[in-house]
Amino acid sequence: MEVPFEDSRSLAARVTELLSADGPLPIVAAGDPVLRRPSAPFDGQLDDDLLARFIAALRETMHAAPGVGLAAPQVGIPLRLAVIEDFAQVSDEVRAARDRRPVPFRVLINPNYQPTGPAEAAFFEGCLSVPGWQAVVARPAEIRLIAHDEHGKPIDEIVRGWPARIVQHETDHLDGTLYLDRAELRSLSSNDAVATRWPHPTPHLAAASLGFDLPR
């Protein structure tokens, strides 16, 4: 059964209540239905001041977690809005293998993406809403991102490498999809196992040891 989108007053009241407490927002964990339902497109449900405050709180929460992206449903708000930022503080070897580079803070409103070609890249991926675990996910290596920023300015650009992975992960949240839905489940590993057994720039050793295939 399809769940109807909430009206503007309801969403604005929920965001206002959420922002009434100091500090980072509580992050919703897997098992909460808000993570499994498509989010409502943003069309002005929050006025400019409330939107700016909510975005600032999402950024603070993302940094505190810490993470490189956070979608509104992850704090219980079913709106099609996400924030991303990656300082990419990794080794040169990891940077080269994963095509990972800094992503400045940005807001994605009503984002959608499409692959630009068949090439895929597979790496371990985690999620703030599924704490303690990571799994290998094969994703399009390059995408076309279409969205708006917090000022209503349209975004239409090609994104590749690790930044494309972040965009896909956060946009998936807005569709009710968790990274585990796309993951190679034989790769599922605790954070400790990833840090001690599979700390390599690519998951090739993990694939050979755990028995799963990687895209060619």
Side-chain angles (χ1 to χ4, degrees), residues 98 122-124 136 187 198 200-209 212 214:
R98 301 179 186 177
F123 294 102
F124 274 102
V136 173
S187 71
W198 321 123
H200 320 92
T202 72
H204 285 86
L205 181 57
S209 301
F212 62 91
L214 295 173

Side-chain angles (χ1 to χ4, degrees), residues 39-42 70-73 79-84 106-114 143-149 155 166-175:
S39 295
F42 181 81
L70 190 67
L79 268 180
R80 202 166 180 83
L81 182 157
V83 298
I84 63 175
R106 66 189 314 189
V107 179
L108 302 179
I109 293 179
N110 298 332
N112 288 285
Y113 68 84
Q114 293 293 331
I143 59 169
R144 180 185 181 190
L145 167 65
I146 297 177
H148 286 83
D149 68 13
I155 298 168
I166 298 171
V167 167
Q168 290 172 75
H169 182 113
E170 299 309 327
T171 302
D172 282 357
H173 272 302
L174 308 179
D175 295 326

